[in-house]
Structures are given as structure tokens and as C-alpha cells.
């Protein structure tokens, strides 16, 4: 049987049932638990991901911008939502932290082929995080979601200045919101 063909399983309408059910659900849970263990054992300080609360089908990931890029040492949070057909269907991955990048739109959506038409059941959370981290330094300007970022990309100094100004504004805003929520 092909790696990308899901085994026979119960059909779930994702629109009305956000959390998978049935035997297939247990298979997905086991896969996700294994991925979580591998991520924890990898001890990569530049990326991580954990379930968001008790829901194993929703995770929060973190990547740190790679050295040698305008994103160096910037921290970004991402959300992962795993469908009932995972790993045969890709998870929905979005930036939570605002990311000014040619392949990321203002809503955090990411244009990355492995999250769409090039998805394979062989990919896992760690490979997705590594691919997104790599994308930060090597955007695909032929397929931009953010045309402004794509147009600025060739001028690294101007891009970095704009990036850092916006990153710091968003960070301050998030810190104020967190402080207000804790009161």
C-alpha cells in the first residue's frame, strides 16, 4: 500500500466534528504522541512544539529565526491543527506571532508546498518546523502571499529595519495584553 493512501477508516466531517473520533482517532493520537516524544528527545533549542492544553489535535510550536538571516534570534509561535486524516492529510499551520515575510500573509497563513500539494505522510511536526525555519531565510518570491515583503526582500537593510520595527511593536503589544489579562 502507498505511503500516502490512508487505511480504511471512519469518515469524519471536520466542519462539524473538530476532534476526530473512532479507531482512526486512536491511530492519529499514537502518531502525535510519538512525534511529541521525538521532538522532546531531539533537544533542538531552536524549535519546539507541544499540545495546546489537553487537546492532542491542536499544538503550539515555536521557532527561532536561523543564524545568518534577518530573522536571527527572533521567536515565532505557530499553531498546528491536525485533521482526522493525519498523517495522510497535512495539518493546518499558521503563524500566531505576526511574521513579515514574502510567503506569510497578514493572517499568518503560510505558502509552503509541503503543507499543500507536496505533503507526504512521511513528514512530521519536526520536519514542518525545520521547513518553516528554512523558509524564513529562503523565501519563494515567485509565489508571494505578501507582495510588499517580496518587493522589499532584495534590499536586506530596509527589509530588516521594517521587520524589526514591526516585530518589536507586536511584541510590546502582546506583552501589554498579557499584563492586562493577568490583572
Amino acid at each position: 500500500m502507498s505511503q500516502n493512501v490512508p487505511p480504511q477508516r471512519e469518515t469524519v466531517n471536520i466542519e462539524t466534528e473538530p476532534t476526530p473520533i473512532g479507531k482512526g482517532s486512536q491511530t492519529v493520537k499514537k502518531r502525535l504522541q510519538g512525534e511529541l516524544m521525538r521532538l522532546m528527545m531531539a533537544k533542538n533549542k531552536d524549535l519546539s512544539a507541544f499540545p495546546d492544553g489537553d487537546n492532542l489535535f491542536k499544538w503550539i510550536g515555536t521557532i527561532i529565526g536561523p543564524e545568518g538571516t534577518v530573522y536571527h534570534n527572533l521567536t515565532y509561535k505557530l499553531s498546528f491543527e491536525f485533521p482526522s486524516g493525519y498523517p495522510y492529510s497535512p495539518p493546518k499551520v499558521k503563524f500566531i506571532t505576526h511574521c513579515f515575510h514574502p510567503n506569510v500573509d497578514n493572517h499568518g497563513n503560510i505558502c509552503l508546498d509541503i503543507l499543500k500539494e507536496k505533503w507526504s505522510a512521511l513528514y512530521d511536526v519536526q520536519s514542518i518546523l525545520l521547513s518553516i525555519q528554512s523558509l524564513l531565510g529562503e523565501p519563494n518570491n515567485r509565489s508571494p502571499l505578501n507582495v510588499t515583503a517580496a518587493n522589499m526582500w532584495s534590499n536586506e537593510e530596509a527589509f530588516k529595519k521594517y521587520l524589526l520595527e514591526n516585530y518589536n511593536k507586536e511584541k510590546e503589544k502582546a506583552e501589554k495584553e498579557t499584563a492586562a489579562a493577568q490583572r
Side-chain angles (χ1 to χ4, degrees):
M1 179 179 280
S2 171
Q3 289 286 339
N4 286 325
V5 177
Q8 295 299 88
R9 62 176 171 74
E10 187 175 339
T11 302
V12 176
N13 181 346
I14 295 174
E15 298 300 319
T16 58
E17 298 177 39
T19 303
I21 59 170
K23 184 179 177 186
S25 171
Q26 293 306 315
T27 303
V28 176
K29 282 184 180 179
K30 284 182 183 177
R31 165 79 184 234
L32 292 172
Q33 288 168 338
E35 289 189 32
L36 179 59
M37 288 302 294
R38 283 189 298 281
L39 263 171
M40 290 174 17
M41 300 300 282
K43 297 184 180 180
N44 184 334
K45 64 179 179 51
D46 293 339
L47 53 94
S48 65
F50 296 95
D52 187 11
D54 292 335
N55 188 346
L56 195 57
F57 294 89
K58 292 187 179 193
W59 289 26
I60 301 294
T62 304
I63 58 174
I64 296 176
E67 192 173 334
T69 71
V70 295
Y71 298 93
H72 179 64
N73 280 337
L74 300 182
T75 302
Y76 291 94
K77 295 227 178 280
L78 300 105
S79 66
F80 285 75
E81 289 188 27
F82 298 94
S84 61
Y86 183 78
Y88 303 102
S89 300
K92 287 184 184 177
V93 184
K94 292 176 71 169
F95 275 91
I96 296 170
T97 308
H98 177 70
C99 182
F100 182 70
H101 187 276
N103 303 117
V104 180
D105 71 14
N106 289 331
H107 303 287
N109 298 306
I110 305 165
C111 182
L112 182 60
D113 58 357
I114 69 160
L115 295 176
K116 308 248 185 300
E117 73 278 357
K118 299 277 186 180
W119 175 254
S120 167
L122 299 175
Y123 292 129
D124 60 9
V125 173
Q126 185 171 2
S127 62
I128 294 168
L129 289 168
L130 286 168
S131 293
I132 293 171
Q133 191 179 47
S134 176
L135 182 69
L136 289 178
E138 300 174 21
N140 178 359
N141 278 332
R142 292 182 312 272
S143 179
L145 282 179
N146 184 330
V147 177
T148 303
N151 290 336
M152 288 180 71
W153 183 258
S154 61
N155 183 340
E156 185 175 329
E157 187 177 319
F159 187 95
K160 186 172 184 175
K161 181 180 182 213
Y162 186 84
L163 167 71
L164 292 176
E165 285 173 4
N166 284 290
Y167 180 86
N168 289 327
K169 280 182 198 174
E170 289 292 323
K171 188 175 177 180
E172 287 175 23
K173 180 180 168 187
E175 288 170 355
K176 286 179 184 177
E177 289 173 357
T178 301
Q182 291 176 345
R183 288 184 201 145

